[in-house]
Each structure stands twice: as C-alpha cells, then as structure tokens.
Amino acid sequence: MGNACSSAEIVSERNDPKQANNTVLIRAFQCTDSGLNDVLGHRDTTHISRAAVSLSWLKHFIKTHRLDETRLTTAQLVQQLVKPPTAARQCRFTQLLLDNDPSLQGSPQHQHHYHQQVVSQGRPFYFVSHAWSRPFAETLAMVARHFEPEQQRLWRRRGPQLRDEGQQDVYGQEEGQEVAGAVAAVMEGRKDEGQCKEGQLRHHHHQQQQQPVLPAAPLAETDVYLWFDMFAISQHNPGGADSGDLSVLHEVIQDAEGTLMVLDGEGTALTRIWCLYEAWQTYKAGPGKIQLLSYGLDYDELKKVFIDLDVSRAQASVEEDRIRILGSIRDSLAGGLHQMTHELKDALVAGAVSQVYDIEDAWTSNLGHNIYTAATLCHLYGRLEQAEQLFRRNVTGSQAVLAPDDPWVMLAIDNLAGVLKAQGKYGQAEQLHRQALENFERGLGPHHPGTLAAANNLALVLHNQGQYDEAEILHRRVLESYERRLNVGFPSTCAATAATATAAATAANSVATVDATVNDSQEILRTLNNLALLLQDQGKYGEAEQLHRRVLAGLERLLGSEHPDTLSSVTNLASILKAVGQYDEAEQLHRRALLGRERVLGSNHPDTLRSANNVANALKEQSKFKDAEALHVRVVSSLEKVLGPDHPDTLSAVSNLAVTIQNDGRHREAEGLHREVLASREQVLGPDHPDTLDSVENLAGVLWLQGRLGEAEGLLRRGLESRQRVLGSEHPDTVTCASHLSALLLEQAQAGQQNGQTHSLLGV
C-alpha cells in the first residue's frame, strides 16, 4: 500500500471448493444509461471500496502508455503516470476519471459517461494483491488471463437457477458456511465428517435444484472491476485514513468479491509485508475469498516461495510500514508472527484446492495447471492423501486427451509416483516411476533434465525398497550426466568410492569438499545427497560422510541455512555421525534441524516429526530414557495421524519407542511393540527389507534380555542369513548381526556347561 509495495494475493484457509465455485458470490450486474447496480450501498460514496477500475480501461491504459514496451514497475508507474496528473488536486487517480479531468492522457475527452463506467462506484470488484517491484504490464497480463473465458469456466461456478442479477448465487450465506465446514473437515483430515457434511449438502441442493453446478457465464472485460491501490488511494498522502489505514484496508478486502494474489515467476509477493498482510486479512474475511494466480511458476520456484514464506522476514519499501504491520499482527495473534505464517500457508493450500475441488469439466492444460498447483502445495505441506487424489486427476485427465509421451502426461505420472513414495506405497511408486522414465527417455532422450529427474526418482524408490545395486547405478548415471552437461568434473566423487576413510583423511577431504561446492549446482548437490544416503546404507561410511559435508556446505551457500533441503542435509550428516559414534555433534545437528523445521514447516509436518524422532534417539543414546520416551510418544501419536499407522516412518518411530522402553528395563512391554512393528514391516516392506531385519534383531535382543535364548537364536540366524544374501557378508550390519549371534551362542554354551555341572553334582 502507499509508497510501499502493494500486495499479495491471498488465500482463505477454510476455503471450500463449492464455496469458491458458488458462494464466492460473483454477483452479476449491468451498467445502464439510467444508473448502476450498487451493491455497496452501505458504504459512503467516497469510500475507497468504490474506486476499482475496469479491466477494459486498464488494458487501454497499458496500450496508451506503452507499458508492454517500457516495462515500468508499479512503483515507477506511480511516480511517472499517477502522481503528476493528481499533484494539483492531491487526489486519487480514480477521482480524475470520475470528473473527466482534462489532465488525463489517453482517455477520450468530454466523455463523462465513459469515465463513469470505468470506475466501479459500488459495483462488485476484485482486490488485487501484487508486488510493486514487478512490471505492471506483467501483473495485469496475469490478471487478464484469469478472466479469459476458459479460465472463468474453472472458477466462476453457479447453479442453473441464478436469482435476479445483482443477488447471490444458489447457495445462501448459511449454506455457504456449511460448505466451508465440509471443506475444512477434509483439509484438517476429518475425512468422514467432511464427506458426511458434503453429502448432506449435495442432497439438499439436489432436492432443491435437481441440476448440477455449472460454469457461470463469463464476465466481459467492461464488467470486471479490479481494485489496484495505486489508482484507488491518494499517492500524495499514503499515511492518511483514505489510503494507508489498516482498518480501511480491511474494509476493502471485506467488500471485495475475492482477492487475486498475483505470483510472478519469483513469487515476489510472498516476500513483501503489505502483500502478506493483505493475504491474512483475506484469510480472516471468510472462506472462498482467495484465488492464487501462479501461471508459469514451476515446481522448484513454487516450492521455494511457499516454503520460504516467513512473515518475520518480509520486507517493505517503507520501514515504518513494516514495523506498523508487524506490531498489528503481534497485538492480534497469541502466536504472533509464527502463527500468522502458518495460517497463511494453510490458507494458500486451501485457496489453491478450492479452485479445482468441484470441477468435473473435460481436462485442459489450464485445468491441469490449477490441479498441479493445488496438488503440489498439498504435497509440500504434508497433506499427502489429498495430493494423491489431485495428482491422479491430472494423470487420468491428461491421458484421456494427450499422447503417452506428451510432457504433460509424463510429468503427471512422475508427480503421482512421488506422492505415493512419500506415503510409503513403494511398489506402486516404482511401477509408475519406471513408466515415467521410459516415456522420458523415449520422448526427450537420456540426458534431458526431465529424464534425469525421472531416473533419480526411480533410484530413490528402489533405495527405499533395499534394491541398492540398481539404485546406485542410476544415481551415478544421473551424476555423470549432470557433470557432463555443466562441463564440470568432480574427481573426488569417483575417487571417494575406492577410498578408505581414516579420521585424518576424512577431515582433509571435508575441507576440500567445502571448497568444491563453489562449482556444484543444486541438481548435482541433490544427486550427491541421494548417493551419499545410499552409500551410508551400504555401510560405506567414510565416503558417505565426505559427500554429506560437501552437500551441506553447497546447500547453505545456494539456499540458506533454514531451507528445507538444507535442513534435510543437516539431518543426513547427523545420521552418519551417529553411525560412526560421534554422538555429541550428531545431537547438535538434529536439534538444529528440529528447530529450523518447526519454524519453517510447523510442528506437525512429517519432516518436523522425523527430526523430533531423531532428537529422541539422541536422548536415548545418553540414557535419558524418560525424556526420550516422552518425545517418542508424541512423535508416534502425531505420525499416526499425519501419515497413518503403517507408514514406514511411523513404524520406525514405534520401533524407536520400543528400544527406549527396553533400555528402561520394561522388557515385556517393549517385546509387544517390537512384535507389532515386525509384523507390519513384513507386510508393508517385505521379509528381507533392511528395516524388517532391524525389527527381527530388535525382537531377538529383547527376548535375549528375558533369558529366552532359543527364540532369540532363531531370529538372529534368520537376520544373518537374510543380511548376507541382501547386503553381503562384509556390510557393517551383517558383521554386527554375526557378532550378536556369536555372543548369544557363547552365552548358551556357558549356560549349558553350568547346567551340566549342576546335573552332575545332583547325580553324585
């Protein structure tokens, strides 16, 4: 607002697809010679809610001033085209239009009727949240695209029996709230409740209407009114009640039909305090009021801007504005800026979902893009089941109208496979990843970035299933291709394969590794990270540690210390340090990852819960069993709700809880948990998966502690035979299992000797 930056679109977290399609009431209206349909009669005639301008006039303004060519930012536009003609009167730009002021350029003179229709004056309008630092022509182009007839079909929905023009659509306010409640239930995971409420509401409207929800007739450009702050408020007194007062801004957002949040290719709006404040006000205004305009924003950029969203770091052109807004937020929210950040993220997800929830039209690329955006945000925010449903819609929809090797189809399949993997559905994910890789190789060639991404994704799901050899081949193939594409050689990557890491050599390599990251791209670092994790599971700890340190240094340089990818790298380095006995440094790194993830992702995000699990394990290593148990219990409870009881991560958390209880001396209780985890892992992962074998040995251990040596021996023999077959006889886990079995057999032999001596003495 004002001299700062205007905007950000927003998103209402309690959005409900039907609410967005039907009850974000798009009130039809007509401008006639005799007057206009004033839906803001409750506002004073000078209120800034009545100062939106038509899309047709805005396009004319762009053309007249050649803004497509000059690429003026909104801030520059204010200085060059808004302030000069309004300087004498110190007024809003829209006042010049209403008064047919002769200082205006590019508008027909002496056409009072024309200017009267250019300004909304109480007609329905949309609030536009955007960044002043972006070219205004770019911003308007995205808004104009949103109002193209095909796009309007996707978000302007109505029932077949509209009331008289200017009135609400088929859902009344009370019904709209019921719809919002149904969507909120779905978004919060209360699936049965959401389906029940939605089903009741559908039945109610079926009885009333007996007809489905249909697209509304598209609005003409002359009937689309858009509220842009640089035209609607005086730029000569930005701090006055007419412009910069926060309560007045809230009234404008309340009056608007909805907020259009314009996200350029860099997601600038989500870094500006005015934009985030406008988004938050929209969130508070009620369900269905936010629409996300993210055309052209790819996955990596969308991920970056969404995850990096942090109100406390948002900027403003005027520092006083930033301080004033942050103060207002702190005063109104118990959780302060942290709470607002996560409310906004919830709202962005809900807003994106609401734009595609109830659309059953034939699949088009426009619909596919909207579904992709909604599914990606759900995936990023841990709403995996909903992401799967949306990605499946894109797969079935695109396959129905496009060729199998079309990029849209290939991307849709790969996205679906990715979210299946995240849910632990490895078999389904592998099948789809293989299909996607085959299509990418056939359509784009073996070294195309899309093909390399597909190969990497297949390698990851193979790794998850313990198929290490094929996974390593794929990772090294991807790494070689990226290095060739960038014409960068990394001798340390290959040399480390044959290296045996003494402590001194590892330290020296770590220094060289950090220096090497100046040449590492994000793609190379991602591949090195995946390779390091695989080497770690193969027991090649020296090479794995070297690569993990290199990756962490590179990601800190490229993405910052609290980016989710950086925090994942922190966790990975901590895990290898724990494996080689460096417990203190491992604990510090796990705590760093936990604190960062809580700030960035929220306390119930799966990655945050994984970090909490890691910290609990660190406490267990220090024999702080009560503290560790309390944290493990919290993690298990949350993961069961977020991922489900049979997800591999949930099972790992239960296994860790069992070990902690076992170390606290409660052997029978631990045995029950170990048996539950083993049974679930055998069913979910298979009998020879490394995690399953961990459970076999954990159960053997607790039986051993109870003196049930025969049962323990059988389990250890099973584990050793499987590890030798799957991992090889020299893998550290195989060696450890063999050592445990040898110790158990020795104890049995000693016990047998003692029993024999006892029997002989009794015989005498």
Side-chain angles (χ1 to χ4, degrees):
M1 293 281 293
N3 291 336
C5 130
S6 163
S7 299
E9 167 218 12
I10 235 19
V11 85
S12 177
E13 192 230 340
R14 294 176 290 273
N15 278 336
D16 135 353
K18 289 216 173 199
Q19 179 77 5
N21 291 337
N22 293 324
T23 58
V24 172
L25 308 172
I26 301 169
R27 290 161 284 195
F29 58 86
Q30 289 181 330
C31 295
T32 66
D33 291 338
S34 59
L36 56 83
N37 185 3
D38 189 346
V39 298
L40 297 180
H42 61 293
R43 295 293 186 200
D44 183 87
T45 56
T46 62
H47 196 278
I48 59 175
S49 285
R50 306 168 72 89
V53 290
S54 72
L55 176 58
S56 61
W57 178 84
L58 287 164
K59 284 189 168 184
H60 179 77
F61 182 83
I62 293 282
K63 181 178 180 181
T64 298
H65 296 285
R66 300 167 53 206
L67 296 184
D68 280 325
E69 302 172 27
T70 62
R71 304 286 292 171
L72 289 181
T73 66
T74 300
Q76 292 170 330
L77 180 151
V78 168
Q79 295 300 320
Q80 298 181 30
L81 301 177
V82 175
K83 280 191 171 183
T86 57
R89 299 174 57 183
Q90 298 282 294
C91 65
R92 313 169 186 167
F93 191 90
T94 51
Q95 192 61 49
L96 301 184
L97 292 173
L98 290 170
D99 295 345
N100 197 31
D101 193 286
S103 64
L104 291 177
Q105 298 179 19
S107 295
Q109 296 298 315
H110 309 299
Q111 294 188 21
H112 182 70
H113 178 72
Y114 167 79
H115 286 143
Q116 289 291 317
Q117 294 189 17
V118 162
V119 184
S120 60
Q121 299 184 85
R123 301 177 183 89
F125 69 94
Y126 293 86
F127 183 95
V128 182
S129 184
H130 63 113
W132 275 34
S133 59
R134 301 300 303 177
F136 180 67
E138 172 190 277
T139 297
L140 189 66
M142 294 182 70
V143 174
R145 176 178 175 181
H146 193 62
F147 284 94
E148 290 174 355
E150 182 182 347
Q151 285 292 342
Q152 288 193 51
R153 280 182 58 84
L154 301 181
W155 60 269
R156 288 196 71 241
R157 319 292 287 181
R158 70 171 187 178
Q161 297 178 5
L162 265 181
R163 302 177 185 179
D164 293 338
E165 290 180 337
Q167 296 187 9
Q168 296 185 352
D169 207 338
V170 292
Y171 288 171
Q173 181 178 5
E174 181 177 348
E175 293 165 337
Q177 291 172 349
E178 290 185 53
V179 179
V183 174
V186 174
M187 294 299 294
E188 295 170 7
R190 295 177 282 120
K191 188 174 181 182
D192 293 340
E193 179 184 345
Q195 289 176 341
C196 178
K197 288 184 177 179
E198 183 188 351
Q200 293 172 353
L201 195 57
R202 285 179 182 272
H203 178 68
H204 170 70
H205 285 294
H206 181 71
Q207 288 181 322
Q208 278 194 330
Q209 313 256 118
Q210 298 294 320
Q211 296 186 47
V213 174
L214 301 171
L219 293 172
E221 292 180 353
T222 53
D223 294 335
V224 174
Y225 287 89
L226 304 166
W227 196 93
F228 281 98
D229 53 356
M230 66 281 196
F231 297 126
I233 64 177
S234 171
Q235 297 303 308
H236 302 284
N237 184 24
D242 174 66
S243 56
D245 185 82
L246 299 182
S247 63
V248 175
L249 174 63
H250 174 70
E251 292 173 356
V252 175
I253 292 173
Q254 286 278 0
D255 291 342
E257 298 294 304
T259 293
L260 309 178
M261 182 168 224
V262 180
L263 288 182
D264 59 82
E266 299 173 5
T268 308
L270 295 181
T271 68
R272 310 301 295 178
I273 191 63
W274 273 113
C275 297
L276 297 182
Y277 187 76
E278 291 160 2
W280 183 52
Q281 289 293 343
T282 305
Y283 164 79
K284 295 199 303 178
K289 292 210 67 169
I290 209 153
Q291 296 182 47
L292 204 59
L293 279 58
S294 60
Y295 308 117
L297 197 61
D298 65 20
Y299 173 81
D300 285 335
E301 286 298 327
L302 182 59
K303 176 180 179 180
K304 184 178 187 302
V305 300
F306 180 76
I307 294 299
D308 286 350
L309 193 160
D310 186 343
V311 176
S312 67
R313 295 201 295 259
Q315 300 299 310
S317 300
V318 179
E319 179 63 13
E320 291 179 359
D321 287 349
R322 192 180 75 86
I323 295 172
R324 179 162 58 107
I325 292 173
L326 293 180
S328 174
I329 296 167
R330 291 190 182 98
D331 291 342
S332 57
L333 286 179
L337 304 181
H338 180 75
Q339 178 182 343
M340 178 181 170
T341 294
H342 290 290
E343 284 183 355
L344 284 175
K345 288 185 177 181
D346 283 341
L348 287 168
V349 175
V353 170
S354 73
Q355 292 175 242
V356 298
Y357 180 85
D358 195 36
I359 297 174
E360 300 178 357
D361 295 15
W363 190 91
T364 64
S365 60
N366 281 330
L367 176 57
H369 173 83
N370 290 349
I371 293 174
Y372 170 81
T373 298
T376 298
L377 290 179
C378 287
H379 191 176
L380 290 174
Y381 213 47
R383 292 171 177 165
L384 301 181
E385 290 187 7
Q386 194 168 24
E388 178 186 345
Q389 295 170 4
L390 290 166
F391 279 133
R392 284 192 185 280
R393 284 180 62 186
N394 254 358
V395 170
T396 56
S398 61
Q399 286 179 331
V401 298
L402 300 173
D405 58 353
D406 186 276
W408 251 115
V409 177
M410 295 188 290
L411 179 64
I413 292 173
D414 209 44
N415 289 333
L416 175 58
V419 79
L420 289 171
K421 171 183 170 294
Q423 296 176 84
K425 302 175 182 178
Y426 298 137
Q428 297 178 55
E430 178 187 348
Q431 181 180 1
L432 288 174
H433 277 313
R434 289 190 185 280
Q435 180 183 348
L437 178 57
E438 180 181 344
N439 290 340
F440 273 110
E441 287 177 330
R442 183 173 57 250
L444 301 176
H447 300 296
H448 187 277
T451 306
L452 298 179
N456 174 75
N457 292 337
L458 175 58
L460 291 175
V461 79
L462 291 172
H463 181 179
N464 287 131
Q465 297 176 94
Q467 301 177 43
Y468 296 150
D469 291 341
E470 185 180 359
E472 182 176 355
I473 291 171
L474 283 170
H475 279 315
R476 293 194 181 278
R477 165 191 158 185
V478 171
L479 180 61
E480 181 182 356
S481 292
Y482 278 132
E483 291 174 346
R484 182 186 298 115
R485 286 174 60 84
L486 296 177
N487 195 27
V488 176
F490 299 102
S492 60
T493 304
C494 300
T497 305
T500 54
T502 62
T506 298
N509 284 338
S510 297
V511 175
T513 292
V514 172
D515 292 339
T517 62
V518 296
N519 294 320
D520 287 345
S521 68
Q522 194 168 342
E523 291 79 10
I524 287 177
L525 291 172
R526 190 176 296 147
T527 307
L528 288 173
N529 176 75
N530 296 336
L531 179 59
L533 290 171
L534 181 63
L535 294 171
Q536 179 177 335
D537 283 346
Q538 291 176 304
K540 302 173 183 178
Y541 296 143
E543 183 183 2
E545 180 183 347
Q546 177 188 352
L547 291 181
H548 278 314
R549 290 190 183 277
R550 172 175 171 179
V551 170
L552 177 56
L555 290 176
E556 286 176 330
R557 174 179 57 82
L558 289 176
L559 303 177
S561 61
E562 287 201 343
H563 188 280
D565 290 350
T566 305
L567 296 175
S568 293
S569 182
V570 169
T571 297
N572 294 337
L573 177 58
S575 67
I576 190 67
L577 292 175
K578 176 178 177 292
V580 298
Q582 299 181 38
Y583 298 121
D584 290 342
E585 186 178 359
E587 180 188 351
Q588 293 173 9
L589 290 170
H590 279 314
R591 288 190 179 278
R592 170 186 166 184
L594 175 59
L595 291 174
R597 283 172 166 170
E598 284 179 336
R599 281 193 296 269
V600 175
L601 301 175
S603 58
N604 286 321
H605 191 282
D607 288 349
T608 305
L609 296 172
R610 293 181 186 109
S611 283
N613 181 70
N614 293 332
V615 172
N617 285 335
L619 293 171
K620 177 191 68 181
E621 296 293 340
Q622 301 173 68
S623 300
K624 299 176 181 178
F625 300 128
K626 295 300 182 184
D627 292 341
E629 181 182 350
L631 189 51
H632 276 312
V633 168
R634 169 203 150 191
V635 170
V636 169
S637 176
S638 297
L639 283 175
E640 285 178 339
K641 295 175 183 176
V642 174
L643 297 177
D646 291 327
H647 189 281
D649 288 346
T650 306
L651 296 176
S652 293
V654 176
S655 179
N656 291 329
L657 173 60
V659 171
T660 299
I661 291 174
Q662 174 181 318
N663 290 343
D664 197 36
R666 291 142 58 193
H667 298 152
R668 293 303 296 268
E669 185 179 351
E671 178 189 343
L673 290 174
H674 282 312
R675 289 190 182 279
E676 291 177 12
V677 174
L678 175 58
S680 296
R681 281 176 165 171
E682 286 176 329
Q683 182 176 2
V684 174
L685 301 174
D688 290 332
H689 189 280
D691 288 354
T692 305
L693 299 179
D694 285 344
S695 285
V696 169
E697 293 175 35
N698 288 338
L699 179 57
V702 76
L703 293 172
W704 186 349
L705 289 171
Q706 297 175 77
R708 296 152 68 180
L709 303 186
E711 295 177 73
E713 178 188 348
L715 289 166
L716 285 175
R717 288 189 181 280
R718 168 189 165 181
L720 179 59
E721 188 277 329
S722 294
R723 289 197 188 278
Q724 287 174 331
R725 185 177 65 255
V726 174
L727 302 176
S729 59
E730 309 224 343
H731 189 281
D733 290 349
T734 307
V735 173
T736 299
C737 184
S739 175
H740 289 159
L741 179 58
S742 296
L744 176 66
L745 293 174
L746 178 60
E747 184 173 326
Q748 283 181 311
Q750 292 172 342
Q753 291 176 359
Q754 292 174 358
N755 290 336
Q757 292 172 357
T758 301
H759 288 308
S760 63
L761 289 172
L762 289 173
V764 173

